[in-house]
Amino acid sequence: MARTASCESSAATQPQGVRTADPEIAVSYDVANNAVCVTMRNSGTAACRFTVRSNAYRIGGGPWVFLAPAGGNVNKGWPVSASGNWYDFSVTVDTQPAFRRRFASP
């Protein structure tokens, strides 16, 4: 089978000079404070907005919107003791309509 340049290329699909966001989420649990902690990472070259929406267990408030600068992180924690330490929320990003992450307590 012949090799082609397109199969071996790792070039970005964006035109040169175009700035894009590269978002991702990490979730952890703070046992000492009974809180779920969210780290919103943007390793891209353009800022993006993360939106966190409660799916269940949290009454009132939200959605919460956070601006993550290019190459930056945003950290946020929410106490969950009032809901028996249960949580269920989704995160979307303004620059990538297909980006959706859902996190729920086991």
Side-chain angles (χ1 to χ4, degrees):
M1 180 175 286
R3 292 179 145 182
T4 64
S6 62
C7 291
E8 297 173 6
S9 175
S10 62
T13 58
Q14 294 290 331
Q16 189 173 8
V18 172
R19 297 167 43 104
T20 59
D22 186 13
E24 197 47 77
I25 303 287
V27 175
S28 60
Y29 190 76
D30 179 351
V31 176
N33 294 305
N34 289 330
V36 63
C37 304
V38 180
T39 299
M40 295 160 267
R41 295 186 177 112
N42 178 11
S43 58
T45 56
C48 64
R49 281 187 177 78
F50 288 86
T51 300
V52 179
R53 288 183 176 83
S54 175
N55 297 317
Y57 307 114
R58 187 163 179 91
I59 300 172
W64 299 271
V65 179
F66 304 94
L67 177 64
N73 296 331
V74 176
N75 298 299
K76 176 65 179 164
W78 285 274
V80 293
S81 56
S83 63
N85 297 326
W86 290 89
Y87 58 89
D88 183 353
F89 62 94
S90 295
V91 182
T92 56
V93 174
D94 65 339
T95 60
Q96 296 182 9
F99 184 100
R100 178 181 161 90
R101 306 289 189 270
R102 184 171 183 179
F103 301 93
S105 51

